[in-house]
């Protein structure tokens, strides 16, 4: 597998790994998303001071309002985060 | 780094690796995109019968019509492809 195919496979594996915790394997519940964010982005919610952060992220991700985050919603979130990281690296490289 | 952070880093690395070939390091020209697709998705354009495939992919990706594919356009393409792969695996698993 190429580097890009491997990266895509890893994103699918992460989603499936957390989505299978409760009954519905096709979507992330709020508890599953919280667990995913805590383990995959340990610095993202690290401060612990903002108790509403996970609620806000979940509400933003759950585009169709069904209280579940499906794969499409998740992959767009990862794409947006990757875009932010790329911009950050680009700005730092330009300094 | 977590699995998801690693995957995001790999997507950035692949883009940067091909984008730096010609003068503009921030974007992929059509030649750079062609090279990326041929090496990262060897089966994607493998048949070689459809000479216009690369033109169509490029036109679809170049949302703002500036004849360059920027990182945001690229990462949305990767997200869409990952979504298709996930759907394919899901359907196969259900069989």
């Amino acid at each position: 597998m190429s580097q890009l195919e491997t990266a895509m496979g890893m994103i699918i594996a992460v989603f499936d790994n957390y989505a299978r915790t409760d009954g519905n394997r096709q979507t992330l519940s709020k508890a599953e998303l919280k667990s995913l964010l805590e383990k995959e982005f340990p610095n993202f919610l690290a401060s612990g001071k903002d108790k509403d952060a996970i609620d806000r992220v979940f509400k933003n991700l759950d585009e169709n309002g069904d209280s579940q985050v499906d794969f499409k919603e998740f992959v767009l979130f990862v794409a947006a985060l990757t875009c932010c990281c790329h911009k950050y690296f680009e700005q730092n490289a330009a300094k």
Side-chain angles (χ1 to χ4, degrees), chain A:
Chain A
M1 284 218 292
S2 73
Q3 196 175 5
L4 200 50
E5 286 170 331
T6 304
M8 288 162 61
M10 285 166 83
I11 293 171
I12 293 174
V14 166
F15 179 88
D16 286 349
N17 191 27
Y18 291 89
R20 72 176 172 207
T21 309
D22 70 17
N24 191 341
R25 285 165 164 266
Q26 268 83 56
T27 56
L28 294 168
S29 64
K30 196 191 281 186
E32 286 171 338
L33 179 73
K34 187 167 184 280
S35 170
L36 187 158
L37 292 178
E38 280 171 352
K39 285 180 193 139
E40 295 296 325
F41 301 115
N43 302 314
F44 194 68
L45 303 168
S47 74
K49 288 177 188 163
D50 187 352
K51 301 281 182 202
D52 300 329
I54 183 73
D55 288 318
R56 286 202 307 276
V57 173
F58 190 81
K59 211 175 158 189
N60 281 328
L61 288 190
D62 179 24
E63 270 186 17
N64 60 4
D66 65 352
S67 293
Q68 296 284 323
V69 170
D70 63 24
F71 188 75
K72 189 185 154 204
E73 291 162 341
F74 173 72
V75 87
L76 285 175
F77 169 64
V78 174
L81 270 184
T82 310
C83 224
C84 292
C85 291
H86 184 256
K87 207 169 276 177
Y88 177 79
F89 292 143
E90 219 173 47
Q91 283 165 348
N92 272 30
K95 274 178 194 167

